[in-house]
Amino acid sequence: MDYAEVRAAFLQPPDPDAPQAGTSGWLSPGRRLRDAIEPIAMISVWSEPSYDAYAALGLDFLQGYAWSRACVLGEPDASVVAATFGVFEPGLIAGLYDAARAACGLAEIRAAREAGAMVALRTALRAPERAAEVTGVLRRAAERAGTAGRPLFAGLAGLPWPDDDLTQLWHVATMLRELRGDSHLAAYTAAGLTGLEANLLTELQVGWAPWSYTATRGWAPEAMYEAAAGLRERGLVADGALTAAGSRLRHELEETTDRQLAPVLDAVGPALDAIVPELEQWSADIIDAGWFPPDPYKRASG
C-alpha cells in the first residue's frame, strides 16, 4: 500500500450525515486525554513525511506501521509483536513485521520513525508556544505509570528522550497512547474476550457498518462470523446491535482501562483542563494537514 492508496482509503472527508460516534459521550479525564493526543501520537504512522522516511528504507505503508510501532520492543519474534498489538489478525502482523525487518534494521527504523515525525510536526504545527510546558506536564504524568504488563509503554519509556521540543511532545503523546492501549488490551483479556471479539464490540459501540472496522485489522470473514456467533451466544449481541449486557460490558472495558491510568491522571490533576484544548488544537492542525483520518469514527475506535 503506497501513500496515494492510504489517502484514498483512510484520509477522505467523513460522511456528513453519519450520526455521532457511540463513544462521543465518554468524557472521562482518561478519554479526553486519549482523544486529544491521538493524532499527535500517530503522526509517525499517518503523515506523508513519515511514510516517505519508511519508503526510503524499502517499506510500504503497512510494513512501516508494523515495524515502526514494534521497534520500541527491540527485535522480538513476530508472534510476540502480534500478541502485543492484540486486535490484529496475528498472521497479518507477523508477515508485515518479518518483511519489514528483513528490509531494514532496528537503528534505521527508529531513526526514520523519529525523523519523519519531526518533519511532520514542524510542518503542521510550526512552533507552538506552549509545547515545552505541555510536554512537561505529560512527561511528569507518564513517569508515574508502572511498566509491568505494558510492553509498548515500557519500550517507549526506555528510549532516549528526543532533543527537539516538538519531538518530545510526540514522544510523550506516544507513550501515553500506548499506555492506554496496553491497559485496554489487559481489560478485554481479563473480561474473557479475544482481540477479534473486542473489535466487534467496539465496532458496534462506535457505529461502524458490520465488520467494516474489524476487517481493516486483517480478519477473514469466516473468523469474524465465528466470533460474532460467539458474542450472540453469550448474549452480548443480538440483531446486529449490542444488547444491554453487551453495552454494559463495553462500558466496563472503558472504565477498567481508565482505572489503570489513574496515577497518570492524578499527576496531571487540574492542569488537564488547561492542556486538553491546546492538544486538541494541535491535533486539529494535524488533521487539517491531511495527516490523520478526519473521520470521527476512526478516532473514536480506540
Side-chain angles (χ1 to χ4, degrees):
M1 177 177 278
D2 64 21
Y3 201 73
E5 293 170 313
V6 171
R7 189 175 295 282
F10 299 110
L11 301 177
Q12 296 303 306
D15 180 357
D17 297 324
Q20 279 195 321
T23 56
S24 60
W26 291 357
L27 299 175
S28 68
R31 188 73 188 196
R32 288 177 61 206
L33 181 60
R34 178 262 174 201
D35 289 352
I37 66 174
E38 179 74 2
I40 300 169
M42 296 300 282
I43 200 168
S44 56
V45 170
W46 291 107
S47 72
E48 190 166 11
S50 293
Y51 171 82
D52 290 342
Y54 304 143
L57 299 177
L59 309 181
D60 67 14
F61 175 77
L62 292 175
Q63 291 167 345
Y65 165 77
W67 193 193
S68 68
R69 193 170 170 220
C71 73
V72 305
L73 301 170
E75 296 188 77
D77 187 80
S79 62
V80 176
V81 176
T84 304
F85 283 20
V87 296
F88 290 84
E89 197 281 319
L92 170 69
I93 291 299
L96 292 170
Y97 171 72
D98 281 340
R101 196 159 58 119
C104 63
L106 180 63
E108 291 175 295
I109 190 66
R110 286 182 172 177
R113 177 177 172 272
E114 183 171 321
M118 181 185 297
V119 171
L121 287 164
R122 286 177 176 172
T123 304
L125 305 185
R126 299 183 183 275
E129 292 182 3
R130 295 190 64 232
E133 183 178 348
V134 172
T135 298
V137 172
L138 296 178
R139 182 172 181 174
R140 289 189 293 274
E143 289 170 350
R144 294 285 299 276
T147 56
R150 292 156 172 167
L152 289 169
F153 173 72
L156 286 160
L159 294 178
W161 275 82
D163 296 325
D164 176 79
D165 282 351
L166 272 182
T167 316
Q168 288 183 7
L169 172 67
W170 159 75
H171 181 63
V172 75
T174 306
M175 288 175 67
L176 294 173
R177 192 257 184 198
E178 296 292 23
L179 173 65
R180 182 180 173 84
D182 288 339
S183 300
H184 190 63
L185 191 154
Y188 75 67
T189 302
L193 296 169
T194 66
L196 173 51
E197 291 168 337
N199 275 342
L200 292 172
L201 292 182
T202 294
E203 185 176 272
L204 293 172
Q205 177 69 46
V206 171
W208 290 101
W211 298 4
S212 59
Y213 171 73
T214 304
T216 66
R217 269 60 187 154
W219 297 101
E222 297 80 8
M224 292 189 286
Y225 180 86
E226 182 177 353
L231 293 175
R232 289 193 297 271
E233 290 173 3
R234 293 170 61 181
L236 300 174
V237 174
D239 300 322
L242 295 177
T243 63
S247 180
R248 185 165 55 250
L249 175 58
R250 187 59 187 84
H251 280 71
E252 288 172 356
L253 296 180
E254 183 76 8
E255 292 169 354
T256 301
T257 302
D258 278 348
R259 279 198 300 274
Q260 296 175 73
L261 272 65
V264 169
L265 296 165
D266 288 346
V268 174
L272 185 73
D273 289 335
I275 66 173
V276 161
E278 293 199 77
L279 291 165
E280 288 176 336
Q281 181 57 60
W282 297 336
S283 286
D285 292 340
I286 290 168
I287 293 171
D288 288 344
W291 292 340
F292 187 83
D295 187 344
Y297 277 25
K298 178 69 177 71
R299 194 166 174 186
S301 298

